[in-house]
Amino acid sequence: MQWQQLQQEASNVQQPWISSLSPGEQWKQLQAFKALADPHNPFNRPLMRDRYAVALPRLGGSQASEAPAAAIVRGSNVDKPAPLPRANRIDSSMPPPPITEDDARRGILSLMQRGLIPPASKLTLDPSPIRQRTMLMHDPAERRDQADSDDVVRLARRLCAVKTDANSVKSSQQKEQKQNPQLGSASGPPPPSTPTAMAMVSRSVSASATAVTKFVVQNGHARTEAADFKAFRQRYCLDWGSVASAIRAMEQWLQAYSVPIAFVNGEKLFELAIWYELEGRISNQWELLDCLINREDVQRLVEQPGRRFTGPSGRERASTIIQAVWRGHQKRKEYREYKRKKWAAGIIAIEWILHLRLLNIKGQLKETRSRQLDGYRRRFANLEASWDNWRTERRTIIHMPSLGYPQHIRDNIKGLGRLQNTQMARLGDLRDPNIDVILVSPVPMSDEMLAYYTTLTGIRGAVESGQLEDQRDISDRYRIIVPEAVKNFPQHNMCLSTLLKYSPRALNRIRNLVRGRRAYIVPGFPCSDDLAVADKLDLPILCSEPEVTELYGTKSGAKRVFQAASVPTPPSDFDIYSSGQLQDCLAQLITENLSVRRWLLKMDTEFDGRGIAYLDADRLPCFEWALRERQRFGENWSQKWAQEKVYLKVSEELPALLRAHGRVACPEAYPNWQDFMNEFTSQGGIVEATPPTEGIVACVTVDLCIEPTGNIRIVSCGDQVRSTERPYACLGASLPQCSAMPSVLNDLCERIGTACWERKIFGHLSVDFLVFEDPETEKQTVWATDLSLHYSDSAAMMQLLLFATNGRFNPFDHELTVAMSPAEKAALDKKTKKTGLNIRVKGRQRFAAMSTRLWHSNLAAVHYSVFFQTCKAQGIGYDVTDKTGTLFCLVDSFQRDCLCMLTLSDDVCSSLQLFAKNLSMINQEISTPEMKGRTNFQGLAADLDEAIAVEKTKESSRPQSTKE
């Protein structure tokens, strides 16, 4: 009844009252209505008191007002739980005491804290306090309408409650006045009522409870005379300008698509109009479509093809769209062409900029290398002028065992750093007291490895005196430096000189060590970076210019040097760069040398037998017929007219023979014949004959040093130990050589050294010779086959051999002699006094077997200290008194799977046998039946057995010489 009265009062209020207010006042009134509808709003009670003079009662207010203010008591209002019995606290294994009703009333958490319920207990509440059911999902539009209606109902209930409370307060006041008349007379008159405010509230409530406003657009025109449109216009009269623009946009859109009738949602259209009030005209038809009540019907019409051209001005719109599409097509075509030209211009510009930068960098590199080359020549001229003085004065040698091979070769080498570090034996230069050594290592050095080399170099004093107690530390005379760039470029396969070039701290350390001292650099295989390092250190380097090394350091370059030196070489041809050229020259060589059964194909820039392939000529179908033709022509066979028929036949059959029977010596580097031929034709190579004999063929390596003054010195010589698994690869050597006459080798080496000196080749180099007995003349024949312009492993091991024996290598007789022991000297002096003769003894001869290519995968699991203890237990060691035994060179202190070994004995066979014995013992100690590992020990032992048999055959055929 009260709510109906409020509605009646609100209906009496004129509607223009609220519309006459300013927008700010309207917003304030709206916020006040929201506060009145929400009893929890902090402004609800003040608004009811100020506007309607209604004092809402407080819950329990009368009692609270009468009670005196209680003092605040601080502390817990929960009784302290009783503790567990002492027995349970001491022994946790005892069962907990029973739970009383008082304990259960305190709750589960209290029981668990006191320990009455064990912490690991699994609790289940029955019934469960959580009930699961499917959540209902509501439409957001329905939710908004429901919220509006809820607000209206809530406001109505609130006003009813207010009215009821006011009546109750009024009745209570009347009762009190009846009971106490004085109280009624003291109190003033009741506050005046405000029917206008109550009417405002009722008007707002009734306005909120009205239905959604809508109007109709028929045939593209809104029905403005309809009551619903007038009501819509009256409701949004304050923003009618924006709404009218939205209505016109709706009419134009519906006219364009010939929509017969559409029902518009006024509220959504108003929201759209307000949104686009500052944006301009509405252009998105889907936003207009969302403002329609019959959206599906209108959308079905709008989506019909060609519907937008059925309205007024449809032909004009169609022609406009056709013109726009055509112009768009033309513009897109022009834009694509413009984009293509712009892309091409960008590519050309980038390429041109890169080309200019590349030219600039090339110019800078050319200028830098020219400056480095000029510095190299200047410093080498100074070294040449003072070389004789340097050999007798104190000096420092910087050993840099770098392998500056071309990039494509270094990329195919696994473990390049360890391969360069196999020349740690260069420390043997310390045998000269005037020489200090700085060794640059391409692999990190551990303390254990450094300690070993300290011990190895410390035996020099014991070797000189013959007493083990005379060992002394000479580590102050050498330094091992590792460039810091080794860690920065672990996978780039850079040579050592390149790593040192990019290691400023290592360069500064070397610069500080040689400051104020005579020093020069001894490289490995030289390249341009060696000159860069020498230029940064401002030190001379004992090698040739890089261009000279690239020209004569190949297989074809070696043939040019041998031709200039007039030394005997096998039948061959060089500078071959195509398959056709290879077939022509090989056919000619086979025709001219039918006694040669196997021909070798060698790449120019490969090393260590990697770039070698072979072909057996006796597999030619016409080979037997060619032999008969040679026999038929006899002495005239050397004439071209006699060989022409055979040459044509061989040329015809040779391509098929190469494809079918060509074999690669190193399948690890080149898996098949096609890969080998592709690389062979790309870098060039030679064709070379093997000795035409079935007897023993020895390969001798002679290491030379061409000093800056032109003096040619033989550093070492040895017989190679060839591998049976990899033909034409050298795994080791026996020092010194015993296969060829020393005078013949010395003469050939002198001629080769002179030819190299004339071509400005300096420093260390190695020459390979083949020694065999010619079956036709039955005389020893020596062929020069290869020339390597770098410091070899055999030369380094020879320095270690001389260091450990205090011996002397005679380059004329190719003999290694060591001084006699004190006991032998005493016996000789006694014999001299007894006979009265002056007996002259050259010394004791020593022979050595060495290898720098030993590897075993199980060595990686053994520390060096354990390895040397095992060798000591097996009797593998070195006798400083007798100058015999075994020496090791460690290569990699972290992987530890490879090492170098050197054995010394009184004769060649004994040194080879000792080497094979050591390999067998080490293999047995580090291998088990379950873990044999991968190794080359067994293959090398078999090769050594074959070499021992060959040496015994040589000794039996060698004439016995008298010993003084």
Side-chain angles (χ1 to χ4, degrees), residues 255-257 301-302 304-314 317 321:
Q255 287 178 8
Y257 285 91
L301 293 175
V302 169
Q304 289 180 2
R307 183 76 182 185
R308 57 178 173 172
F309 306 123
T310 59
S313 303
R317 295 182 72 245
I321 290 176

Side-chain angles (χ1 to χ4, degrees), residues 637-689:
W637 180 249
S638 59
Q639 303 297 326
K640 293 295 182 181
W641 58 267
Q643 302 174 0
E644 183 177 1
K645 190 176 181 180
V646 176
Y647 169 76
L648 295 176
K649 189 64 175 177
V650 171
S651 300
E652 181 182 352
E653 298 178 354
L654 190 58
L657 182 67
L658 286 172
R659 290 191 298 267
H661 298 286
R663 295 291 180 267
V664 181
C666 182
E668 293 82 3
Y670 304 99
N672 52 59
W673 179 260
Q674 188 61 39
D675 293 342
F676 176 85
M677 287 304 301
N678 292 337
E679 188 67 21
F680 183 89
T681 54
S682 65
Q683 63 177 264
I686 66 172
V687 177
E688 186 177 85

Side-chain angles (χ1 to χ4, degrees), residues 548-564:
V548 176
T549 304
E550 292 177 3
L551 178 61
Y552 296 105
T554 62
K555 301 295 188 294
S556 299
K559 293 298 180 182
R560 297 189 189 94
V561 174
F562 294 155
Q563 284 183 357

Side-chain angles (χ1 to χ4, degrees), residues 148 333 841:
D148 295 340
K333 183 178 179 182
V841 180

